[in-house]
Amino acid sequence: MHSLRNLLQEAQGNGVAIGHFNISDLVLLKAVFAAARELNVPVLVGLSEGEREFVGVRQIAAFVRSLREEFDFPIFLNADHTHSLAKGVEAAKAGFDSIVFDLSALPIEENVRQTKQAVEALKAINPSVLVEGEIGDIGTGSEIHESSPDVVKGLSTPGEAKHFVESTGVDILAPAVGNTHGMLRSMVQGETKKHLDIERIAGIKRAAQVFITLHGGSGTDDEDLRKAIAAGINIIHINTELRVAWRHGLEHGLSTHPGEVVPYKILPPAVEAVKQVVGSRLRLFKGGRHAAQGA
Ligand SMILES: [Zn+2]
């Protein structure tokens, strides 16, 4: 079985990105795993601190490991948006493959200082764990927002990215390149799309020479995602789109089975709805720069 680092290198060489999907229950995990297996592409599942709190840190690690081993399939586990070293240590000890250490709300030099310490502490627990650092402001909350944040204010620069990566030793960088967490209602309805600063991504990639993650991919224009992959994005996070599908699928399951109380008879439409979204995103990420040329 390849390591996550090897798979990222392979994806980078092939000009494709790896999909990262947030999960907080068995419906979401089943849907992500089924879609990835159908397309036969490696996949990352991630849980924020809140999502981990709900599912259980050691419990989800055991679950994902059991899928990886039983099906000999490259599914990896990420501790998304971890705001303290204690929570990072907990995830590293539980066997998570990567940890997003997010102190982007702090002034940059304080972010650098504490992220460097975290990289050292987490790799002392597991030398092969990948640590991702965050810079810039992309807003919080993978949910439906009424108004869009001021994206321009928090954008990352190539110089800042290079300084951060060289000073901290992170394996992966998440910059602010026009992306934001969550979706506007108009995006959920398909009327508007997020757009990315492709030149900025390319500049950051050239300067920082590191794996790059795009957070807040939900609601982003397909063509922008293809161009972002060609410009150097290696991992793309999708959360809100899955949450929207989960809710719609659940409502569908409940309304088509009035009076039903058996969870495994009510929940399959929710699994199917999420699986459709994951599948369509994975097909796009897998196409990478080749799809961009063809489209
Ligand atoms: Zn994120």
Side-chain angles (χ1 to χ4, degrees):
M1 175 69 65
H2 286 291
S3 68
L4 179 56
R5 182 187 294 279
N6 290 343
L7 285 169
L8 280 166
Q9 264 150 5
E10 211 173 282
Q12 179 151 283
N14 293 333
V16 302
I18 295 181
H20 172 291
F21 301 94
N22 285 74
I23 61 160
S24 48
D25 75 355
L26 187 56
V27 166
L28 289 150
L29 178 57
K30 277 172 75 79
V32 173
F33 187 58
R37 279 192 82 203
E38 221 168 84
L39 292 166
N40 197 26
V41 290
V43 74
L44 258 167
V45 290
L47 295 88
S48 66
E49 286 184 358
E51 289 163 338
R52 300 203 298 273
E53 186 77 27
F54 183 70
V55 180
V57 174
R58 291 175 61 189
Q59 288 66 40
I60 193 60
F63 213 123
V64 171
R65 192 182 312 119
S66 78
L67 288 174
R68 181 154 71 189
E69 288 172 2
E70 181 173 344
F71 297 90
D72 190 26
F73 191 83
I75 179 169
F76 294 93
L77 183 59
N78 174 51
D80 206 11
H81 296 291
T82 302
H83 300 289
S84 70
L85 184 54
K87 295 279 183 190
V89 165
E90 190 184 22
K93 284 186 174 165
F96 279 57
D97 301 289
S98 58
I99 293 165
V100 170
F101 195 68
D102 182 5
L103 296 185
S104 57
L106 296 179
I108 184 75
E109 285 311 324
E110 192 53 26
N111 184 2
V112 165
R113 193 181 69 78
Q114 291 193 39
T115 301
K116 181 177 191 289
Q117 284 175 353
V119 169
E120 285 161 10
L122 296 171
K123 286 183 186 284
I125 294 166
N126 173 8
S128 63
V129 76
L130 300 184
V131 182
E132 177 182 307
E134 319 285 288
I135 55 171
D137 180 10
I138 57 168
T140 56
S142 295
E143 53 206 3
I144 297 166
H145 301 299
E146 295 306 326
S147 61
S148 49
D150 184 2
V151 181
V152 177
K153 209 173 54 201
L155 287 172
S156 306
T157 64
E160 180 187 42
K162 181 178 160 69
H163 168 64
F164 183 83
V165 169
E166 286 175 356
S167 314
T168 58
V170 291
D171 305 286
I172 308 168
L173 175 71
V177 291
N179 52 326
T180 51
H181 282 123
M183 291 170 84
L184 294 174
R185 207 164 291 284
S186 58
M187 291 171 182
V188 175
Q189 285 151 1
E191 293 157 6
T192 59
K193 300 277 182 195
K194 289 180 202 169
H195 289 280
L196 304 170
D197 189 337
I198 306 298
E199 281 309 307
R200 191 175 294 273
I201 295 169
I204 288 171
K205 187 73 173 188
R206 271 195 303 273
Q209 296 289 319
V210 71
F211 296 126
I212 297 183
T213 296
L214 182 79
H215 282 255
S218 290
T220 307
D221 179 65
D222 285 2
E223 194 54 32
D224 277 26
L225 287 174
R226 292 190 188 99
K227 287 180 185 161
I229 295 167
I233 293 286
N234 304 101
I235 300 170
I236 301 176
H237 281 224
I238 303 284
N239 189 355
T240 314
E241 286 180 4
L242 269 52
R243 290 175 165 182
V244 169
W246 177 93
R247 183 174 178 112
H248 287 166
L250 181 58
E251 284 171 348
H252 180 69
L254 289 167
S255 66
T256 52
H257 299 89
E260 183 58 78
V261 295
V262 180
Y264 61 75
K265 293 182 181 169
I266 296 169
L267 293 171
V271 175
E272 190 52 36
V274 176
K275 191 184 152 201
Q276 292 296 329
V277 175
V278 175
S280 88
R281 284 326 205 172
L282 284 176
R283 272 190 292 276
L284 190 141
F285 302 161
K286 170 184 154 141
R289 73 170 71 111
H290 307 296
Q293 283 160 359

